[in-house]
Structures are given as structure tokens and as C-alpha cells.
Amino acid sequence: MALQATPYKISLDISDTDRGVYESVKFTVARHPSETELRLASRVLAYAMFYHPHLAFGRGLSDTDEAALWEIDLTGEIQHWIDVGLPDAARVIKASRRAPKMSVVVYGNARLWREKVLPKFAHLNNVNVFVLPQNELAEIAEKLHRSTHWGVMISDGQLYISDGDEQVIVALECWHGEMPEASL
């Protein structure tokens, strides 16, 4: 019998002073049976970082032709393709051709990926690469429950994630491109 995806009900109060985005959003995200807690937490943080009313979760792990997240306009055109993890260069290049904007949110031990993969697409102007620090991401992943309510403030490239009891500060590092900017 195949394992089922686990639904997570997420509520985010987003206050992104860098982009001028202030929204309270609720959504359900499915955790694929083979998905780690770190990857799920990365997808949720990417949702907050790039929030747009048309941003949606793709099937990601179960469909390699879809992004982890993507912004699709009302005509059905992909405006922003967002991957999380350590995608290979071919995937990044292909995605950069499918959307005017492509972002990668890297987590995990990415030093080797940075040395070997990033140079293969460094010439692409529409690709941005952001890094989530391992220790802070692990702390956030521990706080991600089947029903989660977080306040996420983004200011000067830092994420402040609060669950009401504690706050975790995540300093985003930009390895390629520019920090997210207003697109609303």
C-alpha cells in the first residue's frame, strides 16, 4: 500500500518590510512521504519570502516538471519558479527558461553544490539563489506541526519567525542575484 501525503494546516502573518507585503494567509500544504521536515520547513519559509496572491505549491517531489512553489498569472503563464534544496544545474537552467524569474532556496550542506553547480548557471540573470542556515532551519523545522501559526517578519534580508512563545532569526544569504523585491 502506498503511503499518503500528510496535510499541514499553516497560518502565516507575513510582515515583509523589504517588499511592502503585509498579509495573513492560511493554506494547507501536503508533506510527501519521502519529504524531510527540513524540506517542508524550507517550502513554508519560501512561501513567506516570495508571497504573492498567485503563489501556489507545486507537486515538487512527485512531479519533476513542477516547481516546489510557483507564481502563475491569470493567463496560466509561470511568472516565478521557486525550487528548494540542491537542484542540479540542468533543472535550474530549464526552469529559468520557463519563467521570467527563477529562485532557489538552498538548505543543507551546500558548499560543494555552490562550487560545482552554481558556476554552471551563474551567467543567468533571472536566477536568484538564497541560503537558509542549517542550525536555524533545524530549529524552525522542530516547530512545524500539523497545525502551525507563525508570525514571519522579513526585514533587511532577515526572517524573524515567531510561534508566539519563541522567535528564531534566520539571516538569509544571497549567493546569486538579488534579494526578493516588491512584485505586487
Side-chain angles (χ1 to χ4, degrees):
M1 176 184 265
L3 296 173
Q4 297 290 323
T6 305
Y8 282 69
K9 296 190 180 295
I10 309 292
S11 176
L12 298 179
D13 296 322
I14 302 168
S15 177
D16 186 340
T17 61
D18 293 344
R19 297 187 308 140
V21 174
Y22 306 94
E23 292 288 336
S24 291
V25 294
K26 293 181 181 183
F27 56 89
T28 300
V29 61
R31 179 179 174 193
H32 191 274
S34 67
E35 183 172 32
T36 66
E37 292 172 345
L38 292 176
R39 186 174 191 284
L40 179 63
S42 298
R43 289 196 300 142
V44 172
L45 292 180
Y47 187 91
M49 288 168 52
F50 299 107
Y51 176 76
H52 186 279
H54 298 137
L55 187 63
F57 290 94
R59 289 184 285 202
L61 285 175
S62 61
D63 187 339
T64 58
D65 284 338
E66 288 194 14
L69 298 109
W70 47 14
E71 177 189 328
I72 300 176
D73 67 18
L74 297 175
T75 66
E77 294 292 318
I78 302 168
Q79 295 302 312
H80 191 178
W81 180 292
I82 304 162
D83 261 337
V84 298
L86 303 170
D88 61 33
R91 179 172 172 84
V92 173
I93 292 167
K94 182 178 178 183
S96 74
R97 292 179 181 147
R98 293 185 63 190
K101 207 168 21 170
M102 195 279 171
S103 297
V104 180
V105 178
V106 175
Y107 68 91
N109 188 359
R111 185 185 57 78
L112 186 61
W113 183 87
R114 181 180 190 178
E115 293 171 5
K116 301 285 184 188
V117 178
L118 184 59
K120 294 178 181 175
F121 63 83
H123 63 284
L124 299 173
N125 294 329
N126 67 330
V127 177
N128 298 304
V129 178
F130 307 98
V131 183
L132 296 172
Q134 282 184 277
N135 293 337
E136 290 84 347
L137 183 60
E139 189 176 343
I140 290 164
E142 288 178 11
K143 298 177 183 303
L144 188 60
H145 305 290
R146 298 272 311 272
S147 181
T148 297
H149 182 197
W150 286 343
V152 180
M153 187 178 96
I154 303 168
S155 180
D156 294 328
Q158 293 199 66
L159 282 73
Y160 302 85
I161 297 101
S162 172
D163 64 1
D165 295 327
E166 296 178 25
Q167 184 179 62
V168 178
I169 300 171
V170 176
L172 275 181
E173 191 176 341
C174 183
W175 279 357
H176 182 67
E178 299 176 358
M179 294 302 268
E181 57 188 44
S183 63
L184 297 176

